[in-house]
Amino acid sequence: MSLTLQVLLEEGTEVLSKAGVTEASLDAKYLLFEAFETDMTHFLLDRNQRLSEEDNASRIRNYRAMIETRSQRIPLQQITGSCEFMGLEFFVNEHVLIPRQDTETLVELVLKEYKGRKPAVLDMCTGSGCIAVSLAVLGGFDRVTAVDVSKEALKAAQKNAENLLGHGSITFAESDLFASLEEQKKFDVIVSNPPYIPTKIIEGLQPEVRDFEPMLALDGKEDGLYFYRRLADESRRYIQTGGAVYFEIGYDQAEAVSGLLRAAGFAGIRIIKDAAGLDRVVCAIYQ
Ligand code: GLN
């Protein structure tokens, strides 16, 4: 049988299925596209054409190497180094949480509620910078500050800001939550997708997440609420009166996080669902 893109796809799919990868065929396809610098349209046209093994030696080798890496359950996006979020292409690596589609709910909500305005925004726990950069690119927000405790995450976020916005458009700060921020600075909006998975739940997650995504970005400590307690309490010193907070939450945390915000003096608490119909964002006004 002569070698074709279709044959390579089937070969890769089989390796990934055997390794327990959930979307084996889809992942093999993405890696094939990456190695052969092609896309769905060209694949569909060319997939049964004979491939010269000689002319394509390095592409074939690269494809097989990426399949082998993926079979160790290293996330696809860490292999390709990119992830699409809000229609934008973000650089990702092992130091940042891979942007989730769930998080688009938060970004879309803030864009909708601040359309035509340019609030001063703080993105606490920015990670890849996907929230901060999307707000700046898509909403034209020009006063965005993005904070993370991880130097490596900040490097990735800065790279995304430079790629998608140009140099200097977002202010970055390395800080353990608010610890290194000036108290005089008050924001109109504070957004955050903090680590919110209870420690015990982490061991039951897919190996891609459990073994290869940064624990620092996932672990919400004992009950998963550690960061919301601190955010609800400490946000008050960095927010304008009448300003709003938007926090991404786990599907079962709406009630607990609303309670923490209410106890901290926030009002107008709303819970917003994601595309799958699960509670995903809690927002509130500081009065
Ligand atoms: N939504 C992410 C997940 O399910 C967790 C994100 C977070 O802890 N902030 O893996």
Side-chain angles (χ1 to χ4, degrees):
M1 190 168 55
S2 60
L3 194 67
T4 62
L5 288 175
Q6 182 64 30
V7 168
L8 283 171
L9 173 62
E10 284 163 18
E11 172 196 304
T13 302
E14 197 184 326
V15 174
L16 296 187
S17 305
K18 280 200 181 127
V21 172
T22 327
E23 306 223 57
S25 157
L26 196 63
D27 284 16
K29 208 173 267 170
Y30 281 128
L31 295 176
L32 190 71
F33 294 176
E34 178 82 9
F36 283 81
E37 293 169 75
T38 188
D39 55 27
M40 188 57 98
T41 312
H42 291 93
F43 169 74
L44 291 174
L45 289 170
D46 302 339
R47 65 177 159 177
N48 293 318
Q49 270 173 32
R50 205 183 76 79
L51 279 180
S52 149
E53 291 202 38
E54 209 179 340
D55 296 349
N56 290 288
S58 77
R59 290 176 174 153
I60 296 168
R61 208 179 317 116
N62 183 22
Y63 169 67
R64 287 186 173 141
M66 290 194 288
I67 289 286
E68 157 58 23
T69 307
R70 183 71 188 93
S71 75
Q72 295 165 34
R73 308 298 296 267
I74 294 178
L76 178 75
Q77 295 87 341
Q78 286 181 8
I79 301 171
T80 61
S82 84
C83 175
E84 200 211 288
F85 179 83
M86 292 298 297
L88 302 169
E89 193 174 321
F90 284 85
F91 161 76
V92 295
N93 61 20
E94 70 278 21
H95 301 295
V96 298
L97 191 78
I98 297 164
R100 310 289 204 254
Q101 211 189 334
D102 300 336
T103 306
E104 295 185 350
T105 307
L106 187 157
V107 174
E108 282 164 3
L109 186 66
V110 176
L111 287 175
K112 190 174 93 195
E113 300 194 344
Y114 287 86
K115 201 171 172 176
R117 290 188 275 166
K118 291 188 175 178
V121 178
L122 171 65
D123 177 18
M124 185 51 80
C125 312
T126 196
S128 66
C130 66
I131 298 177
V133 174
S134 302
L135 291 175
V137 173
L138 304 171
F141 296 2
D142 51 5
R143 289 175 296 154
V144 177
T145 301
V147 171
D148 207 283
V149 69
S150 153
K151 245 192 197 56
E152 289 300 326
L154 282 171
K155 276 190 207 157
Q158 255 157 330
K159 183 164 167 167
N160 283 317
E162 268 165 42
N163 289 347
L164 295 163
L165 268 167
H167 190 70
S169 354
I170 294 182
T171 307
F172 289 94
E174 184 188 338
S175 175
D176 185 359
L177 292 180
F178 299 91
S180 309
L181 299 188
E182 295 168 42
E183 257 191 57
Q184 301 90 302
K185 187 139 172 59
K186 302 243 195 265
F187 297 91
D188 302 308
V189 176
I190 299 181
V191 297
S192 185
N193 174 18
Y196 59 67
I197 315 254
T199 308
K200 274 219 197 74
I201 303 284
I202 291 178
E203 61 198 51
L205 298 176
Q206 290 277 339
E208 281 84 348
V209 182
R210 184 192 63 210
D211 300 337
F212 299 105
E213 290 207 76
M215 207 42 62
L216 197 60
L218 291 166
D219 189 352
K221 306 204 192 238
E222 200 169 353
D223 62 357
L225 299 171
Y226 174 83
F227 291 96
Y228 299 113
R229 282 193 193 92
R230 292 196 47 195
L231 284 168
D233 176 32
E234 297 171 35
S235 286
R236 295 181 291 184
R237 293 200 296 280
Y238 297 88
I239 194 161
Q240 304 275 10
T241 305
V245 296
Y246 295 78
F247 298 153
E248 178 171 323
I249 54 161
Y251 71 94
D252 55 355
Q253 293 172 325
E255 205 179 313
V257 176
S258 306
L260 290 168
L261 285 165
R262 205 171 294 117
F266 286 84
I269 296 168
R270 289 174 297 151
I271 295 154
I272 312 299
K273 291 185 189 300
D274 63 20
L278 301 173
D279 291 344
R280 188 58 63 196
V281 178
V282 174
C283 48
I285 309 287
Y286 188 60
Q287 294 183 317

